[in-house]
Amino acid sequence: MHFRFCLRLWAMTFAALFLAFVRVTANDVSPAPVPNEAVCVGCRGSGICGGNGCKEGQAICPATCLKRDGPGWIKKKIDGYPDDYIWQEFKWKMEDGRTGYQWFSQHHAGELIELEPNGKPVSRGRCPTCEGDSRVTCKVCKGSTRCPACVGLGKFIRGKNLFTLTDLQGRALEAAVLGRTAETVTVLRLADEQVFGIPAKNLNAESLAMLDKAFPVTPSTRQ
Ligand SMILES: [Zn+2]
Ligand SMILES: [Zn+2]
Ligand SMILES: [Zn+2]
């Protein structure tokens, strides 16, 4: 009997201590301050697109063409050619095991280089992807030069592209909105810089109303 009483006393004491602990820690966890502005993580504040070596809206051609402004050009004296020629050097393994060398001068810049079945590099003429320019319209900014995450602002601004989005369960998310269709809101979560889509139907009416102001969905895409 005495032992049982002791056990109950201990249990009650432990429960009281536990509750006190929970209350103290709950008080300690104040909500993180919500910023009104944040530097864009896509461009680190410059507002300029940095995708695929993008320069003024033009990205490096993804094909294996000889890039006009690319690395790898070397000055080299090759018999029968003027001294001021610059070259791209390719090495390949010949059938007898020796290393073969193939050089293309600056006059081949913009040409597509492919390997023949025996491994020897050959020019296929003007690159069909970039038409010899070495650059193509950047897919990331579609040639606009603007960082797609902040549309050139360099930062996320509350009410413009930065929102606290709340879902139907009441869970809040601090996120930069990168784009929107009738079905999906593409966001960049500030906490970990992850980009993902949220189904618009999961967001509460207040969040959708905020988005409607900054990112209106055109009637043709709303359906
Ligand atoms: Zn940006
Ligand atoms: Zn090309
Ligand atoms: Zn770009």
Side-chain angles (χ1 to χ4, degrees):
M1 198 65 181
H2 178 69
F3 172 74
R4 257 201 199 161
F5 175 74
C6 262
L7 204 65
R8 238 164 76 189
L9 196 68
W10 268 113
M12 280 162 70
T13 313
F14 179 76
L17 280 171
F18 179 72
L19 281 174
F21 172 77
V22 167
R23 204 166 295 159
V24 166
T25 41
N27 283 344
D28 281 351
V29 183
S30 50
V34 179
N36 282 324
E37 275 192 17
V39 174
C40 172
V41 296
C43 61
R44 302 285 162 200
S46 72
I48 296 165
C49 171
N52 305 328
C54 175
K55 233 188 222 172
E56 290 166 3
Q58 301 286 301
I60 296 163
C61 174
T64 55
C65 52
L66 289 177
K67 305 292 186 284
R68 295 179 184 282
D69 54 356
W73 292 102
I74 52 169
K75 225 172 173 186
K76 184 181 175 70
K77 176 67 193 150
I78 295 182
D79 283 347
Y81 291 92
D83 288 356
D84 60 351
Y85 267 38
I86 53 170
W87 304 88
Q88 290 266 358
E89 182 186 87
F90 288 80
K91 285 181 193 168
W92 58 291
K93 206 162 192 82
M94 297 193 290
E95 271 150 43
D96 61 8
R98 287 183 303 142
T99 302
Y101 291 88
Q102 190 75 30
W103 288 282
F104 296 97
S105 78
Q106 74 268 32
H107 294 295
H108 292 274
E111 292 180 8
L112 184 69
I113 305 300
E114 287 186 336
L115 302 181
E116 287 193 319
N118 66 4
K120 188 181 179 184
V122 289
S123 168
R124 302 286 185 213
R126 195 164 72 157
C127 173
T129 308
C130 63
E131 296 182 336
D133 287 344
S134 304
R135 288 191 170 261
V136 290
T137 302
C138 173
K139 279 188 190 146
V140 177
C141 65
K142 300 183 175 68
S144 73
T145 77
R146 289 194 304 259
C147 166
C150 63
V151 216
L153 291 170
K155 53 192 173 182
F156 302 132
I157 301 168
R158 184 158 302 280
K160 202 171 177 81
N161 54 357
L162 178 65
F163 299 93
T164 305
L165 298 175
T166 311
D167 69 10
L168 294 174
Q169 281 76 45
R171 288 173 300 204
L173 171 74
E174 277 302 307
V177 174
L178 308 186
R180 183 191 179 194
T181 65
E183 295 80 28
T184 312
V185 183
T186 306
V187 299
L188 184 150
R189 183 164 51 204
L190 285 199
D192 57 4
E193 301 181 3
Q194 288 290 309
V195 174
F196 54 95
I198 304 175
K201 63 175 167 41
N202 290 2
L203 293 171
N204 72 10
E206 197 190 338
S207 296
L208 287 173
M210 282 193 304
L211 287 174
D212 275 340
K213 275 190 202 154
F215 290 86
V217 178
T218 56
S220 61
T221 55
R222 194 189 283 274
Q223 308 261 318

